[in-house]
């Protein structure tokens, strides 16, 4: 009996010496100014203590791939990228809105055109994305024109200068917008005129939502703190954020002008309630994407949003 008890004690002691597996929460984001609050939070004691890692990905496409193959638990993506994932039946939910475009996306024209009213019959260059489609649709609506009244020319964003030179107008976003304006382009419409329609979101895999809810909540608490810090505009905070974006302070602040970093109040407004605003935005965007051939069929949006992790304070 004594030997049995002694062996049991040894087993317990040995098992207590075995390192417990740490569950990391891996968050993917690319170097977009709207995600600077995430990169600011990544070195915080809160994230380190709770095993939350922010991983830089080269592009939105890589973030989408990471969510799809499970190498990322959470990722910052555009709303249209989220809809595409849902169309292919990936089990994901939006848990946070990171930012909204308030001027970062724009329609620029050649100086001789000067206004929206002169777009009829003109060639408009744009990238074949949902954001491009949203901007074109909104600008034409404001001009009381339809897509049949203009010539749409697809453009690779890498060749945006050439695209602008070979067209009458272009749909573009920062920092390329500022560069074309410096070359003489005239802005006649921007995303400030269509609030809350061009947004980026934090998306989590359903498996992670079920298994790591506390880390998700802590991650958003850290994000809220970072947004508060950035809005304080303290020089050392701005310098740290700019460095994380690999920009100098002047370029970072210029890029930030057209972007609203979403805070807790904005997220409560967008994600909570029986009819969340984000759901209406997603439904409208989905219709536009199907119309423009960017989606083949409508995705089920009933479980699009999960607001349970929103910080209370």
């Amino acid at each position: 009996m004594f030997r049995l008890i002694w062996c049991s004690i040894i087993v317990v002691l040995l098992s207590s010496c075995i390192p417990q597996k740490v569950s990391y929460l891996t968050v993917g984001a690319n170097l977009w100014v709207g995600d600077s609050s995430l990169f600011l939070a990544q070195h915080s004691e809160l994230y380190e203590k709770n095993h939350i890692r922010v991983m830089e990905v080269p592009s939105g496409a890589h973030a989408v791939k990471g969510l799809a193959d499970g190498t990322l638990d959470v990722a910052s993506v555009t709303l249209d990228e989220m809809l595409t994932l849902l169309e292919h039946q990936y089990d994901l939910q939006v848990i946070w809105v990171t930012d909204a475009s308030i001027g970062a996306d724009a329609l620029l024209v050649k100086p001789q055109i000067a206004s929206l009213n002169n777009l009829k019959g003109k060639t408009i260059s744009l990238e074949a994305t949902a954001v491009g489609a949203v901007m074109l649709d909104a600008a034409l609506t404001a001009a009381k024109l339809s897509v049949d009244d203009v010539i749409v020319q697809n453009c690779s964003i890498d060749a945006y200068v050439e695209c602008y030179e070979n067209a009458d107008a272009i749909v573009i976003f920062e920092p390329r917008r500022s560069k074309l304006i410096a070359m003489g382009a005239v802005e006649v419409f921007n995303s400030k005129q269509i609030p809350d329609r061009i947004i980026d979101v934090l998306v989590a895999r359903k498996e992670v939502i079920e298994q790591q809810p506390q880390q998700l909540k802590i991650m958003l608490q850290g994000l809220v703190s970072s947004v508060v810090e950035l809005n304080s505009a303290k020089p050392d905070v701005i310098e740290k954020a700019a460095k994380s974006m690999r920009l100098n302070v002047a370029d970072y602040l210029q890029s930030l002008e057209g972007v609203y970093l979403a805070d807790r109040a904005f997220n409560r407004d967008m994600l909570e309630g029986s009819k969340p605003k984000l759901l209406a935005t997603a439904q409208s965007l989905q219709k536009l994407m199907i119309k423009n051939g960017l989606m083949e069929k409508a995705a089920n949006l009933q479980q699009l949003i999960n607001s349970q992790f929103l910080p209370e304070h």
Side-chain angles (χ1 to χ4, degrees):
M1 173 66 81
F2 177 78
R3 186 174 179 179
L4 181 61
I5 294 171
W6 179 243
C7 287
S8 299
I9 292 171
I10 290 174
V11 169
V12 171
L13 289 172
L14 286 174
S15 63
S16 68
C17 294
I18 298 172
Q20 298 299 305
K21 185 180 178 183
V22 175
S23 293
Y24 281 92
L25 185 75
T26 305
V27 185
N30 58 19
L31 290 180
W32 156 242
V33 68
D35 287 331
S36 53
S37 51
L38 262 177
F39 286 100
L40 188 62
Q42 72 174 324
H43 299 303
S44 67
E45 184 183 342
L46 186 68
Y47 275 26
E48 290 176 3
K49 188 169 64 176
N50 290 282
H51 311 296
I52 299 168
R53 298 187 296 197
V54 179
M55 180 183 294
E56 181 191 329
V57 293
S59 67
H62 285 81
V64 167
K65 184 178 181 299
L67 285 169
D69 64 23
T71 54
L72 294 175
D73 300 316
V74 181
S76 177
V77 298
T78 57
L79 184 57
D80 60 285
E81 287 168 338
M82 170 59 166
L83 293 177
T84 302
L85 283 162
L86 290 180
E87 180 191 12
H88 292 93
Q89 300 187 336
Y90 287 101
D91 213 356
L92 306 160
Q93 287 184 303
V94 173
I95 60 170
W96 184 260
V97 176
T98 56
D99 64 272
S101 179
I102 52 169
D105 297 87
L107 175 68
L108 308 182
V109 300
K110 295 284 179 61
Q112 61 268 28
I113 295 173
S115 78
L116 276 176
N117 298 328
N118 299 325
L119 279 178
K120 190 169 184 177
K122 299 297 189 290
T123 299
I124 302 176
S125 187
L126 72 155
E127 193 176 21
T129 63
V131 172
V134 168
M135 285 298 297
L136 179 65
D137 180 71
L140 292 178
T141 299
K144 297 181 179 176
L145 296 173
S146 75
V147 72
D148 296 326
D149 294 319
V150 297
I151 301 162
V152 177
Q153 178 177 283
N154 286 335
C155 164
S156 167
I157 203 63
D158 295 329
Y160 72 98
V161 173
E162 185 181 345
C163 290
Y164 170 70
E165 290 172 345
N166 293 328
D168 301 300
I170 186 169
V171 173
I172 200 68
F173 54 88
E174 289 290 10
R176 298 163 184 86
R177 167 190 165 275
S178 294
K179 290 177 181 176
L180 288 179
I181 289 174
M183 291 170 56
V186 177
E187 182 174 289
V188 293
F189 189 86
N190 69 42
S191 52
K192 200 170 188 177
Q193 294 161 260
I194 49 169
D196 304 341
R197 286 190 62 188
I198 299 177
I199 59 178
D200 296 321
V201 292
L202 267 185
V203 175
R205 293 189 294 114
K206 199 72 174 290
E207 177 187 349
V208 176
I209 287 172
E210 292 168 356
Q211 296 177 6
Q212 296 168 259
Q214 190 59 24
Q215 281 176 299
L216 289 173
K217 198 161 189 174
I218 291 167
M219 179 198 67
L220 293 187
Q221 287 171 353
L223 202 51
V224 167
S225 297
S226 286
V227 172
V228 170
E229 280 191 83
L230 286 167
N231 287 338
S232 73
K234 291 178 181 176
D236 60 322
V237 174
I238 297 300
E239 187 175 348
K240 195 186 295 183
K243 187 177 179 181
S244 72
M245 293 286 103
R246 297 183 197 143
L247 294 171
N248 61 47
V249 170
D251 287 344
Y252 174 73
L253 290 173
Q254 184 179 39
S255 296
L256 200 57
E257 283 178 7
V259 176
Y260 174 74
L261 297 179
D263 57 13
R264 185 176 59 87
F266 182 87
N267 270 275
R268 287 197 172 281
D269 187 48
M270 290 294 287
L271 303 182
E272 291 188 329
S274 57
K275 294 181 180 178
K277 287 185 179 179
L278 182 67
L279 179 59
T281 299
Q283 289 168 335
S284 174
L285 179 59
Q286 180 168 253
K287 287 178 184 175
L288 191 61
M289 289 176 71
I290 292 171
K291 178 182 172 184
N292 284 274
L294 298 170
M295 287 178 72
E296 291 182 7
K297 60 182 186 299
N300 183 357
L301 303 183
Q302 293 310 307
Q303 302 298 318
L304 173 71
I305 298 164
N306 190 325
S307 60
Q308 67 171 304
F309 306 109
L310 292 182
E312 294 180 8
H313 304 289

